[in-house]
């Protein structure tokens, strides 16, 4: 990434380190490819006594990608993405779900050396309009995220963020929830060779005057196996181990425990993702 990227990428390294791939459910994913290049992915997730299923197909043709997803709740979600349309760096995304007639949305993303802009509008009579932007460079970026409900004329979301990047260090500050919460995040890549990284996130809620601190890290035991762990100030600790037993095929085992009530609160999740 040369420029500041999109607004959603501010603080993303820390979020991925602390939250990505952690789960306490059982999930199985299988991806296959047809002779004409269509990718078909089937997944099943077991949450307590509930089993949720999903089938997704993806078709790519030059600069266009079409994703169609059907789930066990009888929803069909279609996303059409066109890259580099009209000008370099511009991406157009059209998404809609059936039978939800109010789900249609058009989204434009534009990446520049000094700016990243994302604008979306719902395809309804009184749509919700969202605009987010980040300005700056790879080293320093400042951004804002605003949503307007045209039916009421109210701002439903207004957030701001700031990011500093220096070599292997990334620090960010996010003002979220209409200014009610402030989150400071830190990410440090300790070793590129062993994929070792540490990070922390501190969130303060002004309305409740509560603080939430989460600290975590990751380390590659070998080129195919990654170990991650995290803990927060409430005493909840999580760990996972992820092994790539063949290219793009992952097995992930994660566990979560409340250190204050270890006997009653331990949870274990397993995720298997298979690709040919």
């Amino acid at each position: 990434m040369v420029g500041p990227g999109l607004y959603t990428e501010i603080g993303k390294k820390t979020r991925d380190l602390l939250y990505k791939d952690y789960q306490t459910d059982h999930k199985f994913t299988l991806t296959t490819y047809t002779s004409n290049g269509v990718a078909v992915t089937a997944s099943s997730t077991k949450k307590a006594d509930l089993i949720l299923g999903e089938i997704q197909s993806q078709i790519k043709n030059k600069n266009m990608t079409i994703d169609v997803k059907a789930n066990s709740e009888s929803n069909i979600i279609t996303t059409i993405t066109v890259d580099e349309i009209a000008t370099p760096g511009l991406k157009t995304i059209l998404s809609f779900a059936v039978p939800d007639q109010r789900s249609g949305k058009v989204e434009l993303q534009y990446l520049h050396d000094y700016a990243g802009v994302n604008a979306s509008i719902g395809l309804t009579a009184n749509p919700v309009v969202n605009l987010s932007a980040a300005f700056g460079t790879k080293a320093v970026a400042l951004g804002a995220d605003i949503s307007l409900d045209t039916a009421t004329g109210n701002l439903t979301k207004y957030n701001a963020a700031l990011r500093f990047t220096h070599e292997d260090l990334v620090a960010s500050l996010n003002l979220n929830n209409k200014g009610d919460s402030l989150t400071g995040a830190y990410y440090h890549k300790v070793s590129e060779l062993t994929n070792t990284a540490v990070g922390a996130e501190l969130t303060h809620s002004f309305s409740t005057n509560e603080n939430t601190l989460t600290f975590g890290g990751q380390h590659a035991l070998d080129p195919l196996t990654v170990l991650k762990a995290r803990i927060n100030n409430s005493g909840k600790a999580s760990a996972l181990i992820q092994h790539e037993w063949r290219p793009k095929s992952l097995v992930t085992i994660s566990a979560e425990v409340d250190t204050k009530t270890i006997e009653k609160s331990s949870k274990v999740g397993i995720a298997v993702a298979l690709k040919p």
Side-chain angles (χ1 to χ4, degrees):
M1 183 178 65
V2 178
L6 297 174
Y7 177 86
T8 53
E9 294 171 350
I10 298 179
K12 185 177 184 298
K13 279 186 175 291
T14 305
R15 291 194 299 271
D16 285 350
L17 176 67
L18 297 178
Y19 304 110
K20 187 179 179 180
D21 295 325
Y22 285 99
Q23 65 174 17
T24 56
D25 305 315
H26 297 167
K27 184 174 182 179
F28 179 81
T29 303
L30 175 64
T31 301
T32 61
Y33 297 90
T34 64
S35 58
N36 57 356
V38 178
V40 180
T41 301
S43 65
S44 176
T45 303
K46 184 177 185 297
K47 294 185 177 183
D49 295 329
L50 187 64
I51 297 179
L52 304 175
E54 184 177 275
I55 297 178
Q56 178 180 358
S57 63
Q58 184 183 83
I59 304 171
K60 291 186 177 181
N61 183 19
K62 296 181 180 180
N63 64 334
M64 179 181 293
T65 302
I66 301 175
D67 281 285
V68 180
K69 184 186 303 182
N71 58 33
S72 54
E73 297 177 346
S74 301
N75 294 322
I76 300 176
I77 304 167
T78 302
T79 304
I80 302 172
T81 304
V82 182
D83 291 311
E84 304 291 333
I85 183 172
T87 182
L90 181 63
K91 178 186 293 187
T92 304
I93 304 171
L94 170 65
S95 61
F96 55 91
V98 178
D100 186 357
Q101 298 179 356
R102 296 178 55 84
S103 63
K105 183 174 70 171
V106 174
E107 185 175 350
L108 295 176
Q109 293 181 0
Y110 179 65
L111 292 175
H112 185 267
D113 289 345
Y114 301 103
V117 180
N118 188 99
S120 66
I121 182 171
L123 300 179
T124 61
N126 298 295
V128 174
V129 180
N130 177 260
L131 176 64
S132 65
F135 301 96
T137 64
K138 183 179 179 181
V140 181
L142 175 67
D145 183 17
I146 299 174
S147 287
L148 171 68
D149 187 346
T150 59
T152 62
N154 296 328
L155 289 175
T156 58
K157 177 173 64 175
Y158 42 89
N159 303 322
L162 178 66
R163 182 188 65 217
F164 296 95
T165 304
H166 178 68
E167 295 180 352
D168 297 325
L169 304 177
V170 182
S172 62
L173 196 63
N174 290 67
L175 187 64
N176 296 324
N177 301 322
K178 299 181 181 180
D180 182 61
S181 65
L182 184 65
T183 298
Y186 166 80
Y187 174 91
H188 180 203
K189 192 65 172 287
V190 179
S191 171
E192 191 73 38
L193 181 63
T194 59
N195 195 24
T196 303
V198 295
E201 181 183 79
L202 175 63
T203 299
H204 175 75
S205 173
F206 294 103
S207 59
T208 62
N209 200 32
E210 293 181 348
N211 296 315
T212 303
L213 174 64
T214 305
F215 177 82
Q218 71 177 28
H219 176 74
L221 302 178
D222 58 54
L224 301 177
T225 308
V226 175
L227 179 67
K228 295 176 67 174
R230 70 181 183 193
I231 189 169
N232 63 21
N233 61 327
S234 299
K236 286 190 176 182
S238 304
L240 72 80
I241 185 168
Q242 185 176 79
H243 179 67
E244 186 176 7
W245 63 282
R246 56 182 294 180
K248 298 182 181 180
S249 294
L250 304 173
V251 177
T252 305
I253 300 176
S254 59
E256 179 184 285
V257 63
D258 189 335
T259 57
K260 298 177 182 178
T261 56
I262 295 179
E263 298 83 359
K264 299 180 181 179
S265 64
S266 59
K267 299 177 181 178
V268 177
I270 300 176
V272 180
L274 304 179
K275 290 188 177 182

